[in-house]
Amino acid sequence: MVRLVLVLGDQLTGDLSALKAADKSRDVVVMAEVRDEASYVRHHKKKIAFTFSAMRHFAETLRKAGWTVAYSAYDDPDTGRSICSELLRRAEEFGAGDVLSTECGEHRLRAALSDCPLKVEVLPDTRLITPPGAFADWASGRKQFRMEYFYREMRRRTGLLMEGDAPAGGKWNYDHDNRKPAKPDLLMPRPMRHDPDAITEAVLDLVAREFPDNPGQLRPFWFATDTAAAKRAAKKFFAEALPDFGTYQDAMLEGEPFLYHSVLSVYLNAGLLDPMELCRQAEAAWREGHVPLNAAEGYIRQILGWREYVRGIYDLEGPDYTRQNGLGATRDLPGFYYTGDTDMACMKAAIDQTMEHAYAHHIQRLMITGTFALLAGIDPHQVHEWYLEVYADAYEWVEAPNVIGMSQFADGGRLASKPYAASGAYINRMSDHCAGCAYKVSVKRGQGACPFNPLYWDFLDRNRAKLDANPRLAQMYRTWDRMDAGAQAETRGSAAAVLARLEAGERV
Ligand code: FAD
Ligand code: DLZ
């Protein structure tokens, strides 16, 4: 009997476990652009365009390889609302019985598929480097998880950057060398730009028509939409940017949205690139002497460490994870997260480039938009939804642990050992934003003060009952306690004024 083989929009990988288990001569691949997937949050226009175009290109690749593909376009009136309704329709059309699938990334869709009245066989997602069950084994019995220990196990397991039983160069982690601010450089590498082909142009028209009110700019659109083009982008990154990736990993520069970052997560998360292959390429670049060890190690740690770790946490924590709110933050997300209409130069840069490119690099996500939301006590679920909407690489399994756990400390410290709270001094050290800002980073409170400054101390003060037992914050609480009562009151007053302006929807 014919089986259906489900391929989702982030499963665009030739050796996907469901495809490997299927019979090309008999089974039918089902791919569907559906309303439920395109609207569970208000995705950035570029994210939808990338997904639909990459899906259409992958369907072509499969057809050329001899597969029968039943592809449902978003604007075809016969296309159903959900993945399940499409499977039911195709089962009837092809007289199919069972469905073969690869475990999907998100709890939401896992639940929808298990409720679908068809027999759906779920195979493990072998694109992950961590074998099924290995993260749960590592985590069992631990109250708190720390990426660094998981990462070391992954290095041992894969042999990446290992010399026998020891880490290459004698250290597991070269993060200490990776905190340099960057200087403007005319020779700054840029991510590869790909001209839209006819398939992408048709999708861009569709998105403009169907999603006019979604956030973000649709054009210019330059993402790769198939594996061959994504591999060319990766090759350019390894040749031009990886050598300085480590050194400037935490840097931010006005007018430089990408710096030395790879801008490959969008391809990696959709399945166009393979994580282990990227790690091996980074290792080879170091072994062949093209890049320093701190660059190769820094890059490999992000994928082999952080990416695998957050997937493990997401699977372990379950569907309620995105509702955690350990610090009890309730303020609404300010409207300027969508418009960039703010006087804070760092926030404006991060938000404007997010709306333009559906991309911001890690430090902007963590230490600018993330830290501001944390300090201002924004409801973490609203923060989570914003991140899930606006980044082209955002799928809940990778986004939620980064937002709920790492950035908003809403999981009570399961994932991170301390909140990523910082004042304007950090931003000034790592960027050139403060020089042209309407606020003064050197002013701690009162008129003209950088809002991050009073909000930082107010955050610590407000959350004292929950945070002051944290040894990593002890020094900061001692500094706060040494401040005289007048300075403390002024700081609280300044923070209250910023928060009142946020709540009133006034410009900050
Ligand atoms: P690079 O800086 O070049 O890093 C190399 C690769 O490492 C990335 O391509 C990515 O695959 C991986 N990586 C790096 N850091 C992380 C991390 N913390 N978790 C998982 N993978 C990581 N990443 C997503 O892929 N999707 C998201 O929705 C997402 N949301 C985030 C939200 C917040 C608040 C924060 C702090 C981080 C988030 N990240 C997310 C992680 C990280 O910011 C992005 O992976 C990275 O910015 C992607 O850009 P890049 O490809 O240029 O990365
Ligand atoms: C992100 C996305 C969008 C916008 N649309 C679709 C779609 O129409 N069809 C589809 O199969 N996948 C889509 N995706 C990716 C899915 O949301 C993703 O596969 C799930 O979130 C599971 O991780």
Side-chain angles (χ1 to χ4, degrees):
M1 199 181 193
V2 177
R3 286 173 304 183
L4 301 180
V5 187
L6 175 63
V7 175
L8 295 164
D10 59 350
Q11 297 183 335
L12 311 178
T13 313
D15 63 356
L16 191 74
S17 54
L19 287 167
K20 281 213 294 208
D23 180 348
K24 198 190 279 192
S25 66
R26 184 190 62 170
D27 298 331
V28 175
V29 173
V30 174
M31 297 182 72
E33 298 167 5
V34 293
R35 247 151 246 279
D36 277 6
E37 293 311 304
S39 64
Y40 59 86
V41 287
R42 278 186 343 128
H43 303 285
H44 192 297
K45 294 187 188 83
K46 276 199 170 86
K47 179 179 176 187
I48 302 177
F50 165 75
T51 308
F52 287 3
S53 177
M55 286 174 71
R56 289 179 187 201
H57 281 91
F58 191 66
E60 281 309 303
T61 306
L62 290 178
R63 284 193 186 108
K64 281 187 193 136
W67 290 93
T68 304
V69 181
Y71 193 95
S72 310
Y74 190 81
D75 51 356
D76 180 336
D78 290 336
T79 299
R81 225 206 125 77
S82 66
I83 298 291
C84 175
S85 58
E86 276 302 282
L87 287 172
L88 289 167
R89 180 167 81 97
R90 297 303 189 180
E92 198 174 316
E93 182 182 342
F94 292 97
D98 301 353
V99 179
L100 271 176
S101 74
T102 292
E103 183 176 53
C104 59
E106 306 197 356
H107 296 303
R108 171 189 61 79
L109 196 52
R110 287 179 199 166
L113 285 175
S114 79
D115 290 346
C116 192
L118 279 168
K119 188 164 167 265
V120 182
E121 187 181 343
V122 181
L123 300 165
D125 191 343
T126 49
R127 299 172 303 169
L128 294 159
I129 303 173
T130 319
F135 187 88
D137 290 346
W138 175 81
S140 85
R142 292 171 200 252
K143 277 210 189 92
Q144 289 183 320
F145 307 136
R146 293 295 168 255
M147 195 287 293
E148 183 62 28
Y149 301 112
F150 170 73
Y151 167 58
R152 291 179 191 181
E153 271 206 28
M154 292 299 281
R155 291 270 295 276
R156 289 194 190 93
R157 186 188 287 278
T158 57
L160 280 164
L161 294 182
M162 294 297 289
E163 279 157 2
D165 290 338
K171 283 202 297 185
W172 291 102
N173 181 320
Y174 290 85
D175 221 12
H176 193 66
D177 306 340
N178 291 356
R179 295 191 183 131
K180 297 211 170 53
K183 291 208 168 55
D185 180 353
L186 289 176
L187 299 177
M188 185 83 67
R190 300 276 186 279
M192 184 171 272
R193 290 179 176 243
H194 309 262
D195 289 335
D197 63 5
I199 294 178
T200 302
E201 285 294 352
V203 166
L204 291 172
D205 288 346
L206 181 149
V207 173
R209 215 172 41 243
E210 301 280 349
F211 302 93
D213 300 326
N214 280 44
Q217 295 161 30
L218 182 57
R219 291 175 187 267
F221 182 91
W222 49 263
F223 286 138
T225 51
D226 63 29
T227 289
K231 282 189 171 171
R232 288 199 297 280
K235 199 172 165 194
K236 187 172 190 295
F237 163 70
F238 283 116
E240 296 175 12
L242 182 63
D244 284 318
F245 172 86
T247 308
Y248 301 119
Q249 207 176 337
D250 289 2
M252 292 169 279
L253 276 184
E254 197 73 27
E256 289 291 350
F258 311 109
L259 289 166
Y260 298 90
H261 294 273
S262 66
V263 196
L264 296 177
S265 53
V266 55
Y267 311 137
L268 197 48
N269 295 349
L272 302 184
L273 295 176
D274 177 68
M276 192 59 189
E277 211 173 295
L278 293 178
C279 290
R280 287 211 185 92
Q281 280 175 271
E283 177 176 34
W286 168 66
R287 292 206 185 272
E288 289 159 13
H290 301 314
V291 308
L293 183 53
N294 72 309
E297 190 281 318
Y299 182 72
I300 288 172
R301 175 158 28 90
Q302 304 313 309
I303 294 183
L304 182 70
W306 279 110
R307 188 170 186 272
E308 294 288 320
Y309 174 73
V310 300
R311 176 56 177 257
I313 301 261
Y314 180 77
D315 286 347
L316 209 64
E317 292 287 312
D320 296 335
Y321 188 65
T322 64
R323 292 282 169 194
Q324 299 216 21
N325 190 355
L327 298 178
T330 55
R331 209 160 266 113
D332 283 338
L333 187 79
F336 65 71
Y337 269 74
Y338 289 96
T339 61
D341 209 0
T342 167
D343 290 331
M344 292 178 279
C346 55
M347 289 288 281
K348 182 165 178 52
I351 293 165
D352 283 354
Q353 75 167 71
T354 296
M355 291 303 147
E356 185 179 354
H357 300 296
Y359 177 85
H361 62 72
H362 186 68
I363 286 301
Q364 293 177 303
R365 297 187 205 198
L366 185 63
M367 301 306 294
I368 304 292
T369 45
T371 292
F372 186 83
L374 173 76
L375 301 184
I378 310 297
D379 172 0
H381 193 76
Q382 292 187 31
V383 181
H384 145 73
E385 292 207 319
W386 182 79
Y387 278 96
L388 194 53
E389 285 173 358
V390 299
Y391 292 111
D393 60 18
Y395 300 91
E396 194 180 271
W397 69 264
V398 56
E399 171 274 331
N402 272 299
V403 174
I404 297 291
M406 191 189 307
S407 164
Q408 301 303 298
F409 208 67
D411 66 354
R414 271 282 259 191
L415 184 140
S417 55
K418 73 173 179 66
Y420 282 89
S423 69
Y426 173 85
I427 299 167
N428 195 30
R429 192 162 62 247
M430 296 313 301
S431 82
D432 62 353
H433 293 309
C434 302
C437 186
Y439 294 104
K440 289 244 168 315
V441 69
S442 55
V443 180
K444 304 291 176 225
R445 51 192 172 265
Q447 194 66 27
C450 165
F452 281 80
N453 289 339
L455 285 180
Y456 171 70
W457 291 114
D458 190 60
F459 166 80
L460 289 177
D461 188 36
R462 226 182 313 134
N463 291 293
R464 184 155 202 158
K466 287 179 177 152
L467 298 179
D468 81 345
N470 185 324
R472 298 197 63 196
L473 296 175
Q475 172 64 37
M476 299 326 294
Y477 277 112
R478 274 199 296 276
T479 307
W480 170 249
D481 289 340
R482 274 201 303 269
M483 244 184 246
D484 64 57
Q488 287 187 346
E490 278 175 29
T491 302
R492 287 192 192 102
S494 277
V498 174
L499 296 174
R501 291 216 305 274
L502 287 180
E503 280 173 18
E506 289 168 12
R507 193 174 173 90
V508 172

